[in-house]
Amino acid sequence: MGETDLDVDVVVIGAGFAGLYAIYKLREAGFTVQAFERGDGIGGTWYWNRYPGARVDIQSVEYMFTKFPDLEQAWDWTELMPAQAEIERYLNWVADELKLRDAIKFNTTIAAARFDATSNTWAVTTQTGDTITAQFVVGATGCLSAPIEPDITGLHHFTGDSLYTNRFPREGYDFAGKRVAVIGTGSSGVQSIPVIAKEAGELFVLQRSAAYTLPSPNRPLGPSELAELKGQYADIRAKQWASYAGTARFGAVMFFGEGELTPILDTPWEQQMARLDEKGFAACFSWSDAFFDIDANQAATKLYGEMIRRIVHDRATAADLVPQYPFGCKRVIIDEGYFETFNRSNVRLVNLRANPIERITPTGIQLRDEHLELDAIVYATGFDAMTGSLSRIDITGRNDLKLRDVWADAPRAYLGLTVAGFPNLFTVTGPGSPSVLTNMVTSIEHHVEMITECLLHMRATGAAAVEPDTAAQDEWAEHVNTFAGPLQVHPSCNSWYLGANVPGKTRTYMPYAGGLTRYMDHCRDIVDAGYIGFVFA
Ligand code: N01
C-alpha cells in the first residue's frame, strides 16, 4: 500500500454518512482515499430524498456520528426528529469540520470496477470513461439509493410534470392549485402526502397496499432540552452501542410507551377498546404477542382499523386504508397527519386493488374505471434495496465473475461486508448485516471501523488481498435466515426487505434481524480468532 503505482489505496463510492465516515477513518489510519459521488453535494440518501415531508424516524441526537465528542457538542438540532434539510446541513457541516470535501469528486457516477488478480487491485471507471486504480473499493452506496421506475405502460408519455420522491428537484416544486397524483404509499408517499395535500388543488392518492403508519412524536427541541441531552451524550452513546437497534431509549418505546406488555389474545375486546381510548395508535401494537403470533397480529390490526375509522370520516376510505398483510412485514412508517389528510375535501384515495392503473396518458392516468386529468404525478415507488446500488455498477471480480450475476442468484455477503469472488471490495451495510433494521448511523460506523481495522491488519501482515470463503459466506447466509421471520411475518408480503418489490429479484430476507449487539459480538469473535472465514492472499 502506498508503495505501488496505484492512484490511491482506497476508492470510496458515495458521500453520505457511510462515505464521509469511511474517508475520515481511512485517512486517519494513513490510507490515501478518493471518493466519488454522483450528486453535486454531500448527503447520499439525504441529498436525493428531498421530497416534501422527508424526515428521519430516529431522534436527532442519536441520528448523528457517535464518535466525535467535540463535534457533537457543537451541533444544535432543532427538532426531535429532523427533516431532510437539517440532516443535509449537518452532513455538510461535518464534512467541513473534518475537512473531507477535498477527497470527494462530485457529479461522478461510477460505471464499472474490475479486479485484477495479478496485482490484487481494482480499476474503477467513471461514466465518462476515466479510470482510477486502487487496492480497495469501499461501496458506501447506501441501502435505499437505487430508485426503481414502476413498470407502468406509458410512463414517459405524460406531458405534465413527473416527479420522483427519491430525486426530487432541489429547488422544490410548486403544487399550488395543481391536480396531483401520488403513486405509492410507503414511507416516502406517506410522509409527502399530507404536505402536498395542503398545497395542491386536488390530490389523488393511488394506493396499491395500505401502510402501517403511526403518528410521529416529532416536536421542536428547545435550547434547554438540547443542553440537557448534550449533557447525557456519553450515556446515550453507551446505551446506543449496547442496544438491539443502535438507539438508546428512542426505539419502540418512543411510539408504544414504557411498561410491561400483555398478550392481546388474553385481553377482552372491551379492554382493548379501553386502551385504544386511552392511548390511541400507541395501543394498537403494544402487546407482547402481536409480533410473534399471527392471530395476535391480526387482532392488533383489527384495533388499528378501528383507530383509522375513528379518524377518517368516510367509511369506504377508512376501510381501504387498513392493511391486508401482517404488521411488521413492511417497514413501519411514522407520519405527520396522514390519516387526517383523507378528511380534506381536495384529497381522494384511489384503491388500486379495486381500480388499477391501466396506463399513463399524455394528460394523466387511465384507471380501469376512470381517467384522472393531472398536472403532476409524484412517484413514491421505492428502491432496489440493499443490493441495487452496487449491482447496477458493472463490478467484475475474480475469473470475470459479475457481482450483479452473483447477487441475482442470491444477494449474499459474508457479515454483509464482503463477497466471495470479489477481493478487497467492502459493502458497507450490505445484505446480511443489521443495517436497515437498526439506526443506520451506528451500523455504518461499525462497518467502517471493521474495514479500517482489516486494512490495518493487512498492512501489518503484508497481505495484498482479502475475501471471504464461500463456505463461510453460505453459513452466514443460513445464520441470517434463522432470524428472518418470527411467525412468518417477514416473508408474508412483497416488501423490499425481501427484494419482492423488484421484478425478477431473488426473494431473500436480506437484513440481519439478530440485532446490532449480537452482530457486533459475532464480528468481534471472528476478528479476534484471526479473521475466521476470511482468506488473505
Ligand atoms: O418505498 P416503498 P419508499 N403501482 O418500497 C408502491 C426508507 N425511508 O420510498 O406496497 C402502484 O416502501 C408500493 O406498493 P406495494 C424506509 O426504510 C425512510 O416509500 O408494492 N404502486 C409502495 O406503496 C422505507 O421503507 C423514511 O403494493 C406501486 C410504494 O410504491 C424505504 O426507505 C422515509 C407501484 C413504495 O414503497 C422505502 O420507502 C422514506 C406500481 N407500479 C423512506 N410500484 C423515514 O421516515 C410500487 N408501488 C425514515
Side-chain angles (χ1 to χ4, degrees):
M1 281 169 243
E3 289 167 12
T4 66
D5 54 3
L6 289 175
D7 294 314
V8 285
D9 295 323
V10 191
V11 160
V12 171
I13 311 175
F17 270 103
L20 294 182
Y21 198 52
I23 296 167
Y24 176 79
K25 290 303 289 182
L26 292 165
R27 277 179 158 184
E28 185 193 44
F31 299 100
T32 54
V33 180
Q34 176 66 62
F36 294 98
E37 165 56 52
R38 87 188 136 95
D40 69 0
I42 277 165
T45 288
W46 298 105
Y47 170 91
W48 294 103
N49 291 273
R50 52 180 72 246
Y51 58 83
R55 181 178 293 287
V56 72
D57 56 1
I58 289 175
Q59 84 149 357
S60 49
V61 297
E62 299 188 21
Y63 198 72
M64 64 195 302
F65 290 115
T66 70
K67 303 292 179 75
F68 300 103
D70 295 339
L71 272 194
E72 65 187 15
Q73 291 295 330
W75 178 260
D76 294 338
W77 294 107
T78 65
E79 290 187 278
L80 192 69
M81 292 175 159
Q84 174 272 334
E86 191 166 15
I87 303 171
E88 190 188 18
R89 268 199 307 280
Y90 166 71
L91 288 170
N92 274 279
W93 175 79
V94 169
D96 290 334
E97 291 292 314
L98 298 179
K99 301 188 173 31
L100 307 177
R101 250 176 233 280
D102 65 319
I104 307 165
K105 207 168 246 178
F106 293 99
N107 297 309
T108 309
T109 300
I110 297 303
R114 174 172 276 276
F115 185 71
D116 176 0
T118 53
S119 60
N120 288 312
T121 60
W122 284 92
V124 180
T125 306
T126 68
Q127 89 281 17
T128 52
D130 293 334
T131 295
I132 179 170
T133 52
Q135 187 171 5
F136 301 97
V137 174
V138 173
T141 44
C143 290
L144 292 152
S145 48
I148 38 177
E149 209 159 76
D151 185 16
I152 302 176
T153 309
L155 197 69
H156 300 290
H157 294 166
F158 184 54
T159 54
D161 296 321
S162 297
L163 302 155
Y164 295 83
T165 51
N166 45 38
R167 54 207 127 118
F168 207 76
R170 198 170 193 159
E171 63 285 4
Y173 181 81
D174 183 8
F175 288 101
K178 299 207 167 108
R179 291 162 303 168
V180 182
V182 175
I183 303 180
T185 50
S187 302
S188 306
V190 166
Q191 285 192 329
S192 59
I193 284 161
V195 185
I196 297 172
K198 286 186 190 137
E199 292 177 29
E202 242 182 310
L203 174 63
F204 300 93
V205 175
L206 272 56
Q207 170 195 282
R208 191 166 67 183
S209 302
Y212 283 103
T213 174
L214 299 169
S216 167
N218 184 42
R219 56 181 168 73
L221 260 189
S224 61
E225 187 181 3
L226 181 64
E228 202 182 319
L229 283 167
K230 282 186 178 181
Q232 300 164 9
Y233 272 169
D235 182 45
I236 290 173
R237 301 293 172 244
K239 285 186 177 141
Q240 282 183 262
W241 286 105
S243 70
Y244 174 89
T247 55
R249 186 190 103 70
F250 298 98
V253 170
M254 201 153 176
F255 301 101
F256 302 141
E258 315 251 10
E260 195 73 3
L261 299 181
T262 52
I264 191 170
L265 290 180
D266 293 350
T267 309
W269 175 248
E270 299 70 36
Q271 276 179 35
Q272 293 179 27
M273 296 311 274
R275 262 180 75 176
L276 211 62
D277 293 341
E278 187 197 338
K279 295 185 163 185
F281 275 107
C284 298
F285 300 104
S286 52
W287 305 96
S288 59
D289 49 355
F291 193 58
F292 300 101
D293 180 299
I294 198 72
D295 294 330
N297 198 303
Q298 275 167 8
T301 298
K302 196 169 159 207
L303 269 190
Y304 188 66
E306 173 60 26
M307 202 54 221
I308 294 172
R309 268 190 297 283
R310 289 183 180 190
I311 297 174
V312 178
H313 303 153
D314 180 72
R315 303 293 287 181
T317 304
D320 282 344
L321 286 166
V322 182
Q324 302 296 315
Y325 53 90
F327 172 76
C329 179
K330 295 188 185 185
R331 167 89 182 227
V332 178
I333 303 168
I334 59 151
D335 70 84
E336 300 204 333
Y338 181 64
F339 291 120
E340 289 80 355
T341 298
F342 294 94
N343 292 333
R344 295 179 66 99
S345 58
N346 67 331
V347 176
R348 200 179 113 199
L349 181 71
V350 176
N351 180 348
L352 295 178
R353 304 268 176 199
N355 191 11
I357 297 174
E358 284 194 341
R359 63 184 184 282
I360 309 281
T361 69
T363 58
I365 298 178
Q366 181 63 54
L367 302 169
R368 193 187 58 199
D369 298 341
E370 72 177 296
H371 185 264
L372 304 176
E373 289 286 322
L374 300 167
D375 300 308
I377 302 175
V378 179
Y379 295 93
T381 44
F383 302 89
D384 181 353
M386 302 207 66
T387 54
S389 57
L390 280 177
S391 59
R392 286 181 186 185
I393 300 173
D394 184 15
I395 296 179
T396 312
R398 274 189 297 103
N399 306 321
D400 288 331
L401 210 56
K402 298 277 185 194
L403 186 63
R404 64 170 60 120
D405 294 340
V406 170
W407 275 356
D409 284 344
R412 288 181 176 179
Y414 184 44
L415 303 177
L417 194 59
T418 52
V419 186
F422 299 85
N424 295 358
L425 169 72
F426 295 93
T427 55
V428 180
T429 61
S433 72
S435 55
V436 291
L437 300 180
T438 63
N439 179 350
M440 285 300 294
V441 183
T442 41
S443 282
I444 282 168
E445 287 179 322
H446 174 249
H447 262 189
V448 167
E449 286 164 20
M450 270 191 78
I451 294 166
T452 310
E453 188 179 344
C454 181
L455 265 56
L456 286 170
H457 169 78
M458 290 173 71
R459 188 159 67 182
T461 56
V466 60
E467 70 175 294
D469 185 277
T470 308
Q473 182 171 288
D474 290 346
E475 259 173 53
W476 181 253
E478 272 169 41
H479 178 65
V480 170
N481 213 23
T482 58
F483 293 100
L487 102 162
Q488 293 83 46
V489 161
H490 287 147
S492 67
C493 70
N494 288 334
S495 74
W496 58 258
Y497 291 134
L498 284 171
N501 63 329
V502 180
K505 190 164 175 175
T506 302
R507 209 178 157 104
T508 306
Y509 192 75
M510 292 181 284
Y512 174 77
L516 180 67
T517 42
R518 189 199 306 258
Y519 172 78
M520 291 195 309
D521 288 347
H522 263 296
C523 293
R524 192 72 263 153
D525 290 348
I526 283 167
V527 170
D528 288 351
Y531 285 90
I532 292 172
F534 287 94
V535 181
F536 291 91

